[in-house]
Amino acid sequence: MSKIIIPTDYKPHLNLIETEVAIKMIKDTFERRLAEQLRLTRVSAPLFLLKNTGLNDDLNGVEKPVSFTSFELNHNDEIEIIHSLAKWKRDALHRYGFEQHTGLYTDMNAIRKDEELDNIHSMYVDQWDWEMVISQEDRHVEFFKAIVAKIYNALLDVEFLMIRHYPQLGESILPEEIFFITSQELEDLYPQLEPKQREREIVRAKKAVCILQIGDILNSGIKHDGRAPDYDDWKLNGDILVYNTQLDDALEISSMGIRVDEKALKEQLEKSDASERLELPFHQNIINHVLPLSIGGGIGQSRLCMFFLRKAHIGEVQASLWDDETIKLCAEKKVHLL
């Protein structure tokens, strides 16, 4: 059964050609602003990685990557299509030799075959993955917030540009500053609600929110959301969410964090009953201080385009595959899937 929702009387503000032109404008502008704000250099990204390197993103720990083997490569070692480049980027910072407070970003494409398809989820993932070298002194929440604020400034620039070019999009949604709240503070504020319902309520109220400290168990005995134990430090990470006017809901556009050091890595793997990963090359390079300390994240390209163009379905801004019921419903409602 299709999980998508088409709002009553929904009508796209831009036609198909206007949408494609606007998508390029959004991507070009935001990519440039992000690089300027964080002093990032664009590098080429892989589409697949060897499984035994431990470099692929485990997401919530239950999703299985698309995999294959090659007769020409390493005696048929298993190769995985990436989920994201959370770990690969930190390794790349070391290999490229980036200096402190500089870093890289990539134009990343991935396949997540276990994704549950709805208005904002697709099997095809396109995002900017970025990573920056930091120092031990930077590993605190105020530094994290300062980086979030720089990314948010880039979002403000793009929203202003799009409304100027396409006044039919209506007034701006983003406030001048993003609102910060920890996952525990959010649970305390809405104890009767489930985590996703809490996100909806806080984003309805504030329009742009960064929820801090995601991955560990809250006072209620549950997690706000799953987070792999071996890249973000759960005390120093967060999600950026904005208000989706079409769906009257929160729209997560970025997951990011200060990455684990040796201490946080061991603690979080133990909590996740995954200490066996410590033997993998990536994890050994953290323990042995081969890899630099870093901060990084992913920013959804199609999610951004959905938000700035006031679209109701992610298929309006990216070409993917959908079930027959979704295709039929969208056709009936005149929602044009790319």
PDB file of all heavy atoms in Angstrom, residues 211-225:
ATOM      1  N   ILE A 211      18.274  19.433  16.054  1.00  0.00           N
ATOM      2  CA  ILE A 211      18.113  18.562  17.223  1.00  0.00           C
ATOM      3  C   ILE A 211      19.469  17.945  17.536  1.00  0.00           C
ATOM      4  O   ILE A 211      20.046  17.240  16.701  1.00  0.00           O
ATOM      5  CB  ILE A 211      17.067  17.468  16.969  1.00  0.00           C
ATOM      6  CG1 ILE A 211      15.715  18.121  16.632  1.00  0.00           C
ATOM      7  CG2 ILE A 211      16.934  16.560  18.196  1.00  0.00           C
ATOM      8  CD1 ILE A 211      14.638  17.122  16.268  1.00  0.00           C
ATOM      9  N   LEU A 212      19.959  18.204  18.729  1.00  0.00           N
ATOM     10  CA  LEU A 212      21.296  17.782  19.139  1.00  0.00           C
ATOM     11  C   LEU A 212      21.265  16.445  19.875  1.00  0.00           C
ATOM     12  O   LEU A 212      20.249  16.054  20.436  1.00  0.00           O
ATOM     13  CB  LEU A 212      21.909  18.845  20.058  1.00  0.00           C
ATOM     14  CG  LEU A 212      22.002  20.271  19.512  1.00  0.00           C
ATOM     15  CD1 LEU A 212      22.344  21.239  20.638  1.00  0.00           C
ATOM     16  CD2 LEU A 212      23.023  20.362  18.392  1.00  0.00           C
ATOM     17  N   GLN A 213      22.404  15.767  19.857  1.00  0.00           N
ATOM     18  CA  GLN A 213      22.654  14.565  20.676  1.00  0.00           C
ATOM     19  C   GLN A 213      21.689  13.430  20.333  1.00  0.00           C
ATOM     20  O   GLN A 213      20.807  13.075  21.111  1.00  0.00           O
ATOM     21  CB  GLN A 213      22.589  14.921  22.165  1.00  0.00           C
ATOM     22  CG  GLN A 213      23.629  15.957  22.572  1.00  0.00           C
ATOM     23  CD  GLN A 213      23.530  16.396  24.016  1.00  0.00           C
ATOM     24  OE1 GLN A 213      22.674  15.938  24.761  1.00  0.00           O
ATOM     25  NE2 GLN A 213      24.420  17.290  24.423  1.00  0.00           N
ATOM     26  N   ILE A 214      21.906  12.846  19.170  1.00  0.00           N
ATOM     27  CA  ILE A 214      21.054  11.767  18.675  1.00  0.00           C
ATOM     28  C   ILE A 214      21.836  10.460  18.616  1.00  0.00           C
ATOM     29  O   ILE A 214      22.968  10.436  18.121  1.00  0.00           O
ATOM     30  CB  ILE A 214      20.496  12.111  17.281  1.00  0.00           C
ATOM     31  CG1 ILE A 214      19.606  13.349  17.366  1.00  0.00           C
ATOM     32  CG2 ILE A 214      19.723  10.935  16.690  1.00  0.00           C
ATOM     33  CD1 ILE A 214      19.116  13.851  16.029  1.00  0.00           C
ATOM     34  N   GLY A 215      21.251   9.391  19.118  1.00  0.00           N
ATOM     35  CA  GLY A 215      21.871   8.078  19.030  1.00  0.00           C
ATOM     36  C   GLY A 215      21.860   7.315  20.329  1.00  0.00           C
ATOM     37  O   GLY A 215      21.743   6.094  20.345  1.00  0.00           O
ATOM     38  N   ASP A 216      21.973   8.031  21.449  1.00  0.00           N
ATOM     39  CA  ASP A 216      21.987   7.371  22.751  1.00  0.00           C
ATOM     40  C   ASP A 216      20.565   7.216  23.280  1.00  0.00           C
ATOM     41  O   ASP A 216      19.610   7.822  22.763  1.00  0.00           O
ATOM     42  CB  ASP A 216      22.836   8.168  23.742  1.00  0.00           C
ATOM     43  CG  ASP A 216      23.592   7.266  24.710  1.00  0.00           C
ATOM     44  OD1 ASP A 216      23.179   6.098  24.868  1.00  0.00           O
ATOM     45  OD2 ASP A 216      24.580   7.716  25.310  1.00  0.00           O
ATOM     46  N   ILE A 217      20.420   6.426  24.327  1.00  0.00           N
ATOM     47  CA  ILE A 217      19.111   6.172  24.923  1.00  0.00           C
ATOM     48  C   ILE A 217      18.698   7.353  25.797  1.00  0.00           C
ATOM     49  O   ILE A 217      19.495   7.872  26.583  1.00  0.00           O
ATOM     50  CB  ILE A 217      19.140   4.870  25.743  1.00  0.00           C
ATOM     51  CG1 ILE A 217      19.377   3.678  24.799  1.00  0.00           C
ATOM     52  CG2 ILE A 217      17.841   4.677  26.509  1.00  0.00           C
ATOM     53  CD1 ILE A 217      19.559   2.361  25.518  1.00  0.00           C
ATOM     54  N   LEU A 218      17.445   7.787  25.655  1.00  0.00           N
ATOM     55  CA  LEU A 218      16.914   8.902  26.430  1.00  0.00           C
ATOM     56  C   LEU A 218      16.404   8.416  27.785  1.00  0.00           C
ATOM     57  O   LEU A 218      16.390   7.220  28.072  1.00  0.00           O
ATOM     58  CB  LEU A 218      15.781   9.567  25.650  1.00  0.00           C
ATOM     59  CG  LEU A 218      16.148  10.099  24.256  1.00  0.00           C
ATOM     60  CD1 LEU A 218      14.894  10.602  23.544  1.00  0.00           C
ATOM     61  CD2 LEU A 218      17.191  11.200  24.348  1.00  0.00           C
ATOM     62  N   ASN A 219      15.965   9.353  28.616  1.00  0.00           N
ATOM     63  CA  ASN A 219      15.466   9.005  29.950  1.00  0.00           C
ATOM     64  C   ASN A 219      14.265   8.062  29.894  1.00  0.00           C
ATOM     65  O   ASN A 219      14.019   7.296  30.828  1.00  0.00           O
ATOM     66  CB  ASN A 219      15.088  10.276  30.721  1.00  0.00           C
ATOM     67  CG  ASN A 219      16.304  11.114  31.077  1.00  0.00           C
ATOM     68  OD1 ASN A 219      17.438  10.626  31.052  1.00  0.00           O
ATOM     69  ND2 ASN A 219      16.080  12.383  31.404  1.00  0.00           N
ATOM     70  N   SER A 220      13.531   8.105  28.791  1.00  0.00           N
ATOM     71  CA  SER A 220      12.364   7.240  28.632  1.00  0.00           C
ATOM     72  C   SER A 220      12.744   5.789  28.344  1.00  0.00           C
ATOM     73  O   SER A 220      11.893   4.909  28.371  1.00  0.00           O
ATOM     74  CB  SER A 220      11.495   7.753  27.480  1.00  0.00           C
ATOM     75  OG  SER A 220      12.226   7.715  26.268  1.00  0.00           O
ATOM     76  N   GLY A 221      14.014   5.561  28.051  1.00  0.00           N
ATOM     77  CA  GLY A 221      14.467   4.216  27.722  1.00  0.00           C
ATOM     78  C   GLY A 221      14.498   3.914  26.234  1.00  0.00           C
ATOM     79  O   GLY A 221      14.834   2.801  25.824  1.00  0.00           O
ATOM     80  N   ILE A 222      14.155   4.907  25.399  1.00  0.00           N
ATOM     81  CA  ILE A 222      14.211   4.736  23.951  1.00  0.00           C
ATOM     82  C   ILE A 222      15.208   5.730  23.353  1.00  0.00           C
ATOM     83  O   ILE A 222      15.646   6.671  24.019  1.00  0.00           O
ATOM     84  CB  ILE A 222      12.830   4.920  23.296  1.00  0.00           C
ATOM     85  CG1 ILE A 222      12.362   6.381  23.472  1.00  0.00           C
ATOM     86  CG2 ILE A 222      11.817   3.957  23.884  1.00  0.00           C
ATOM     87  CD1 ILE A 222      11.144   6.727  22.638  1.00  0.00           C
ATOM     88  N   LYS A 223      15.554   5.518  22.091  1.00  0.00           N
ATOM     89  CA  LYS A 223      16.385   6.469  21.364  1.00  0.00           C
ATOM     90  C   LYS A 223      15.494   7.434  20.591  1.00  0.00           C
ATOM     91  O   LYS A 223      14.410   7.064  20.135  1.00  0.00           O
ATOM     92  CB  LYS A 223      17.294   5.737  20.374  1.00  0.00           C
ATOM     93  CG  LYS A 223      18.309   4.809  21.010  1.00  0.00           C
ATOM     94  CD  LYS A 223      19.154   4.157  19.929  1.00  0.00           C
ATOM     95  CE  LYS A 223      20.214   3.237  20.551  1.00  0.00           C
ATOM     96  NZ  LYS A 223      21.077   2.621  19.500  1.00  0.00           N
ATOM     97  N   HIS A 224      15.977   8.673  20.435  1.00  0.00           N
ATOM     98  CA  HIS A 224      15.243   9.586  19.551  1.00  0.00           C
ATOM     99  C   HIS A 224      15.280   9.067  18.124  1.00  0.00           C
ATOM    100  O   HIS A 224      14.273   9.075  17.416  1.00  0.00           O
ATOM    101  CB  HIS A 224      15.836  10.997  19.608  1.00  0.00           C
ATOM    102  CG  HIS A 224      15.133  11.946  18.691  1.00  0.00           C
ATOM    103  ND1 HIS A 224      13.934  12.538  19.005  1.00  0.00           N
ATOM    104  CD2 HIS A 224      15.441  12.372  17.418  1.00  0.00           C
ATOM    105  CE1 HIS A 224      13.534  13.289  18.001  1.00  0.00           C
ATOM    106  NE2 HIS A 224      14.428  13.206  17.025  1.00  0.00           N
ATOM    107  N   ASP A 225      16.439   8.575  17.708  1.00  0.00           N
ATOM    108  CA  ASP A 225      16.596   7.999  16.379  1.00  0.00           C
ATOM    109  C   ASP A 225      17.871   7.170  16.377  1.00  0.00           C
ATOM    110  O   ASP A 225      18.757   7.368  17.217  1.00  0.00           O
ATOM    111  CB  ASP A 225      16.679   9.100  15.320  1.00  0.00           C
ATOM    112  CG  ASP A 225      16.360   8.590  13.917  1.00  0.00           C
ATOM    113  OD1 ASP A 225      16.099   7.377  13.771  1.00  0.00           O
ATOM    114  OD2 ASP A 225      16.367   9.407  12.980  1.00  0.00           O
TER     115      ASP A 225
END
